[in-house]
Amino acid sequence: MQIFAETLLNGLMLGALYALFGLGLSLSLGVMGMINIAHGDLIVVGAYLTSVAMGLFGIDAIAALSLVIPAMFVIGWLMQQLLLNRVVGRGPLAPLLLTFGLSIVLQNLLQEIFTADTRSLQAGDLAQLGVNISGVSIGVLPLLSMLVSIALLGATHWLIGHTHFGRQARAVSDDPDTARLVGVNDRRFFALVTGFIFATIGIAAVLYAVRTPFSPTAGPERLLYSFESVVLGGLGNIWGTLVGGLVIGVAQLFGAKISSGLGPFFGHLVFLVVLLARPRGLFGRAVP
Amino acid sequence: MLSTERLCACYGMFQALFDVSFAIGPGEVVALIGANGAGKSTLLRAIVGSVPVPASAVRLDGAAIGGRSEIVQLGSGIALVPEGRRLFPSLTVEENLQLAAHNGRDGPWTVARLYGELPALEALKARPATALSGGQQQLVAVGRALVSNPAYLLCDEVSLGLSPVAVDAVYGLLAAVRRDGIAIVLVEQNVRRALASSVRYYCMQKGRVVLEGQSGNADYARVSAAYFGI
């Protein structure tokens, strides 16, 4: 029973991180109709940036966030302005090809600069702390990471629902041509959105890197889990992405309990079974 | 004065407008009459920047403003009510209006003023915009362009498919707009309504202006002939 509860809790905490991975994908798909294949690699880039910032300034991972978040925002803004805006709105294939190429370039750049060795980030004293709830022990760091993920998903949901930023996002998503008629500068807005997405990637990267060692080729697997969270939850639904991430995380950890190498496999299995039963995902809207 | 000078516009290989010279003065109401495919919508879209045209083809108070983006044109005070209303379904009535008000110019038309003119709309403000009736949606579409405080309001087929009562409501709103000194271009299929509501008219056929004049002394037979091309 205790093992069951521990596995469940750890799965939920891991799953919340997957949901945070998925948030950026969900936004770029929802607002720009674009899938970023390099999403996972950008998470790894964020992890390396953090590692570099920690080394340069002698700060811990949490403090490094204050540098990594703005840096990632600027990288995202520039990438959209200089690169992605050239392909957005031209059907699904062009962005897929471009970001697929970007993914390969990023992986090789990281390998060139940082070698293929695995790295990990030290979270300092936080990593050692744990709380004990009626016999079930939980790490403080994963717990904090889950709370941050949920808070970010909630904040984004609020932003989309209640601000000018969100109204622009929904309008562009509904009808980009008409959005221009009411003064939404879609290209400039997309740069802002991608900056925002990259900032969330920066946060996700730190939360990921303090719990799992990473290497330049770790990106595609992160992309896969992000995708599974988004699709499982149903496209265009942020809370759906959270539930999707939680389901994948729990399935992976229970799978790993059955046999240590089978974690991701069980995640994929649950993903497939759910999609067979509900092709639009758990909370997907019906396509009119 | 907003004008086009020998304006030509193409969609790819297809030329939709041929040497269209059109003008509307401040506060004026001009009707644009013509059958389907005559190029009325294309003319409006060329003016607001949705169809690429040379800079000198569109002029605002003498300055060449053709080919600028919709966003720049909106900032210069030219707003389009697109054909088919094109409200954002993911936004409520109020959000549709707020979005345009935020991105537009400052001026007398605010969301609150619009509700003042149309109290029925305020009661529906929390509804998804496309959940309204056609007439109410059309009022929101006109309102959405209006709260950006244009000097020139271009209305594309604002009465198409509406009940007579709903058409009256839309024209009632346009009358209030006109009293504020905002110039209106009316693209209208209903020739009598168009002539009755305007000062001048242009009649278009196959991408060309074939007839123009004062609406008050328009010869209905000649307009019909130009309309149908017979």
Side-chain angles (χ1 to χ4, degrees):
Chain A
M1 192 58 214
Q2 191 188 333
I3 292 178
F4 177 84
E6 242 174 59
T7 310
L8 181 68
L9 276 173
N10 284 326
L12 290 175
M13 292 188 292
L14 178 64
L17 183 59
Y18 289 166
L20 184 56
F21 287 173
L23 176 64
L25 269 188
S26 183
L27 274 178
S28 82
L29 190 62
V31 178
M32 298 179 274
M34 195 184 88
I35 293 168
N36 185 353
I37 296 288
H39 189 77
D41 303 294
L42 289 161
I43 296 172
V44 179
V45 167
Y48 275 101
L49 272 184
T50 313
S51 170
V52 169
M54 290 166 68
L56 273 182
F57 303 106
I59 48 181
D60 63 18
I62 306 300
L65 268 178
S66 61
L67 297 170
V68 170
I69 293 172
M72 288 297 282
F73 180 92
V74 171
I75 294 171
W77 190 88
L78 284 174
M79 191 171 280
Q80 186 71 39
Q81 286 281 19
L82 300 177
L83 207 59
L84 301 177
N85 269 346
R86 292 167 192 271
V87 293
V88 73
R90 296 194 183 178
L93 192 59
L96 277 179
L97 284 173
L98 178 67
T99 54
F100 180 68
L102 189 64
S103 157
I104 294 171
V105 169
L106 286 177
Q107 285 180 38
N108 284 283
L109 264 181
L110 288 174
Q111 216 155 88
E112 200 58 41
I113 301 170
F114 299 106
T115 77
D117 294 345
T118 301
R119 281 198 192 197
S120 58
L121 298 187
Q122 298 308 317
D125 300 336
L126 260 182
Q128 318 301 329
L129 289 179
V131 287
N132 202 310
I133 303 168
S134 56
V136 181
S137 65
I138 308 166
V140 166
L141 193 61
L143 188 65
L144 271 179
S145 144
M146 177 167 83
L147 294 177
V148 169
S149 300
I150 294 174
L152 269 173
L153 288 161
T156 308
H157 187 257
W158 181 85
L159 209 61
I160 297 289
H162 295 96
T163 63
H164 182 64
F165 176 84
R167 287 191 282 274
Q168 293 191 85
R170 282 177 287 149
V172 169
S173 169
D174 279 348
D175 185 345
D177 293 336
T178 307
R180 295 174 64 79
L181 287 179
V182 297
V184 181
N185 189 338
D186 48 357
R187 300 293 144 135
R188 223 167 61 190
F189 181 66
F190 288 162
L192 189 65
V193 171
T194 303
F196 179 82
I197 289 172
F198 275 46
T200 70
I201 289 177
I203 298 168
V206 172
L207 297 181
Y208 154 67
V210 292
R211 64 184 293 157
T212 317
F214 55 91
S215 71
T217 50
E221 210 178 331
R222 303 313 120 198
L223 172 71
L224 192 57
Y225 301 154
S226 319
F227 246 124
E228 286 181 339
S229 308
V230 173
V231 176
L232 189 65
L235 296 181
N237 185 326
I238 287 179
W239 293 125
T241 299
L242 176 62
V243 176
L246 295 179
V247 169
I248 301 284
V250 169
Q252 282 190 359
L253 289 200
F254 274 104
K257 276 277 176 280
I258 293 167
S259 170
S260 62
L262 284 184
F265 170 74
F266 270 81
H268 301 328
L269 197 65
V270 168
F271 174 72
L272 280 178
V273 170
V274 172
L275 274 203
L276 280 176
R278 293 185 65 91
R280 293 196 189 98
L282 292 170
F283 304 99
R285 280 175 296 187
V287 179
Chain B
M1 172 76 83
L2 175 66
S3 61
T4 68
E5 240 165 89
R6 302 180 65 81
L7 172 72
C8 296
C10 302
Y11 294 108
M13 298 289 285
F14 172 73
Q15 187 166 358
L17 295 179
F18 301 85
D19 295 326
V20 173
S21 292
F22 168 92
I24 176 168
E28 202 180 11
V29 180
V30 172
L32 203 51
I33 303 166
N36 274 334
K40 308 178 302 284
S41 295
T42 307
L43 176 57
L44 298 193
R45 285 162 47 81
I47 293 172
V48 298
S50 297
V51 177
V53 292
S56 60
V58 184
R59 290 185 180 274
L60 178 65
D61 302 327
I65 61 157
R68 305 192 308 185
S69 77
E70 295 97 324
I71 293 100
V72 180
Q73 304 299 53
L74 195 75
S76 312
I78 306 169
L80 174 67
V81 182
E83 183 180 357
R85 307 184 282 268
R86 308 284 289 268
L87 299 178
F88 302 111
S90 303
L91 273 62
T92 64
V93 168
E94 175 141 294
E95 287 176 328
N96 267 277
L97 298 171
Q98 280 173 337
L99 180 63
H102 187 284
N103 286 339
R105 310 196 301 177
D106 291 331
W109 283 93
T110 59
V111 177
R113 160 120 192 250
L114 191 71
Y115 288 154
E117 296 279 346
L118 305 164
L121 214 55
E122 185 167 20
L124 302 166
K125 66 181 182 185
R127 298 245 194 117
T130 47
L132 271 51
S133 75
Q136 290 161 340
Q137 285 189 41
Q138 190 65 66
L139 289 171
V140 178
V142 174
R144 187 176 62 180
L146 197 53
V147 293
S148 70
N149 284 296
Y152 296 89
L153 183 69
L154 317 185
C155 299
D156 199 352
E157 305 278 17
V158 285
S159 66
L160 194 67
L162 300 188
S163 71
V165 176
V167 174
D168 287 342
V170 171
Y171 274 86
L173 177 60
L174 290 180
V177 174
R178 189 181 181 176
R179 280 195 296 276
D180 268 17
I182 297 172
I184 303 174
V185 179
L186 270 181
V187 166
E188 181 59 78
Q189 302 260 357
N190 182 334
V191 176
R192 286 187 192 283
R193 182 122 222 172
L195 292 176
S197 322
S198 60
V199 179
R200 288 189 304 120
Y201 72 93
Y202 290 83
C203 201
M204 289 183 73
Q205 196 187 101
K206 294 180 184 159
R208 290 184 166 85
V209 171
V210 290
L211 190 67
E212 59 177 285
Q214 301 292 322
S215 304
N217 52 25
D219 179 349
Y220 193 70
R222 279 186 69 203
V223 172
S224 293
Y227 186 109
F228 293 111
I230 43 177

